[in-house]
């Protein structure tokens, strides 16, 4: 899949900070931003090459986020959240000749609902959606993802991966919907819900780590590996994770 090249990623590492607390529609063009969303509904229009890092801890969040990607544009969106309760809907709209990588890592400490819609309406789009969640305390994840493609479009490639790591006894649910109306595109979906592999814990225990320390280490690696972020941002995320 053809996404942003290394040179363009490096150019976009100079981050600008945007706090959205009033506007419900913003335009981003050839920009790299650290984004904070303090509204319940937001539309982001993407033009050119854009990098978004959204790193935060929000006790209760209700958000309807719509992302419109213009033709010949590329987006990398890294979203890391520590959630208590959430009811979120994210809609990604791509028309022609666009590239999108959406990386979402989250910790769910109570019931979290996420609806993720990916709409393809034209030709020559590349899309990769990666969602990783950890459930702990009273947390659970209920994720519904829908890939929707229009008829008679071609040369599109959409990959979606959803993984939920369960660290408690709560039930999580993942519902994938593939609404594919064209034979000339490739759409792949993968979903897993699992606990920590006992072999991993045994290996780390044999190296002198306690169960608690081993679990924190696995959780940190699991969440960070899903994001395309630099060292400075990773340190910020590690503080929110609280791992060792």
């Amino acid at each position: 899949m053809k996404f942003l090249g290394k040179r363009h990623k490096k150019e976009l590492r100079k981050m600008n900070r945007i706090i959205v607390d009033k506007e419900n529609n913003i335009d981003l063009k050839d920009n790299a931003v650290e984004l904070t969303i303090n509204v319940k509904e937001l539309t982001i229009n993407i033009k050119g090459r854009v990098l978004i890092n959204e790193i935060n801890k929000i006790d209760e969040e209700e958000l309807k986020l719509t992302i419109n990607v213009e033709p010949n544009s590329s987006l990398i969106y890294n979203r890391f959240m520590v959630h208590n309760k959430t009811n979120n809907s994210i809609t990604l709209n791509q028309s022609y000749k666009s590239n999108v990588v959406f990386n979402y890592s989250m910790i769910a400490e109570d019931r979290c609902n996420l609806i993720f819609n990916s709409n393809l309406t034209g030709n020559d789009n590349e899309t990769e959606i990666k969602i990783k969640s950890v459930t702990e305390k009273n947390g659970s994840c209920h994720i519904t993802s829908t890939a929707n493609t229009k008829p008679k479009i071609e040369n599109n490639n959409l990959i979606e991966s959803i993984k939920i790591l369960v660290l408690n006894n709560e039930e999580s649910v993942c519902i994938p919907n593939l609404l594919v109306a064209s034979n000339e595109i490739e759409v792949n979906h993968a979903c897993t819900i699992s606990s920590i592999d006992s072999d991993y814990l045994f290996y780390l225990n044999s190296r002198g780590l306690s169960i608690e320390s081993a679990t924190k280490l696995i959780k940190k690696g699991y969440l960070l590996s899903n994001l395309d972020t630099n060292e400075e941002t990773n340190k910020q995320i590690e503080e929110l994770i609280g791992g060792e």
Side-chain angles (χ1 to χ4, degrees), residues 167-185:
L167 299 184
N168 54 15
N169 294 319
E170 302 296 326
E171 181 180 8
S172 292
V173 177
C174 178
I175 303 173
N177 300 308
L178 300 179
L179 308 179
V180 181
S182 173
N183 293 325
E184 302 300 323
I185 65 174

Side-chain angles (χ1 to χ4, degrees), residues 16-21 26 33-39 42 52-56 58 77 81 236:
N16 299 308
R17 184 159 182 79
I18 296 179
I19 299 175
V20 182
D21 53 13
I26 62 173
V33 301
E34 295 179 357
L35 182 63
T36 299
I37 301 175
N38 294 329
V39 293
L42 176 66
I52 298 174
N53 287 347
E54 186 190 359
I55 314 297
N56 211 342
I58 301 177
Y77 197 127
M81 290 286 164
Q236 180 184 355

Side-chain angles (χ1 to χ4, degrees), residues 27-201:
D27 298 324
L28 295 177
K29 179 181 178 182
D30 293 322
N31 206 342
V33 301
E34 295 179 357
L35 182 63
T36 299
I37 301 175
N38 294 329
V39 293
K40 291 185 176 181
E41 187 169 344
L42 176 66
T43 297
I44 304 175
N45 303 304
I46 302 297
K47 186 174 183 179
R49 296 183 174 90
V50 176
L51 169 65
I52 298 174
N53 287 347
E54 186 190 359
I55 314 297
N56 211 342
K57 180 176 182 179
I58 301 177
D59 286 337
E60 295 190 27
E61 181 184 41
E62 184 174 346
L63 175 65
K64 182 179 180 181
L65 176 63
T66 301
I67 303 170
N68 300 317
V69 184
E70 294 193 13
N72 300 304
S73 297
S74 298
L75 169 67
I76 295 178
Y77 197 127
N78 296 301
R79 188 170 211 253
F80 176 83
M81 290 286 164
V82 179
H83 288 307
N84 187 344
K85 295 181 180 179
T86 64
N87 188 18
N88 289 351
S89 172
I90 300 174
T91 300
L92 174 63
N93 298 316
Q94 293 175 257
S95 55
Y96 294 88
K97 296 182 180 179
S98 65
N99 299 331
V100 174
V101 180
F102 197 106
N103 305 317
Y104 193 167
S105 288
M106 62 183 289
I107 297 175
E109 298 181 345
D110 208 311
R111 183 183 174 105
C112 292
N113 299 312
L114 172 63
I115 297 173
F116 200 111
N117 300 311
S118 180
N119 301 317
L120 298 175
T121 60
N123 303 331
D124 303 313
N125 297 292
E126 301 278 350
T127 311
E128 185 173 9
I129 300 164
K130 299 184 295 179
I131 302 171
K132 281 189 176 182
S133 175
V134 171
T135 65
E136 54 188 24
K137 298 181 181 179
N138 296 319
S140 64
C141 278
H142 298 254
I143 301 174
T144 301
S145 63
T146 301
N148 185 17
T149 69
K150 296 297 182 182
K152 299 181 181 180
I153 62 175
E154 58 186 10
N155 297 328
N156 290 283
N157 189 356
L158 188 151
I159 297 175
E160 185 176 69
S161 173
I162 299 174
K163 298 181 179 181
I164 302 174
L165 181 63
V166 179
L167 299 184
N168 54 15
N169 294 319
E170 302 296 326
E171 181 180 8
S172 292
V173 177
C174 178
I175 303 173
N177 300 308
L178 300 179
L179 308 179
V180 181
S182 173
N183 293 325
E184 302 300 323
I185 65 174
E186 183 176 348
V187 178
N188 294 287
H189 177 90
C191 179
T192 61
I193 302 175
S194 63
S195 57
I196 293 178
D197 191 323
S198 58
D199 290 340
Y200 293 165
L201 288 176

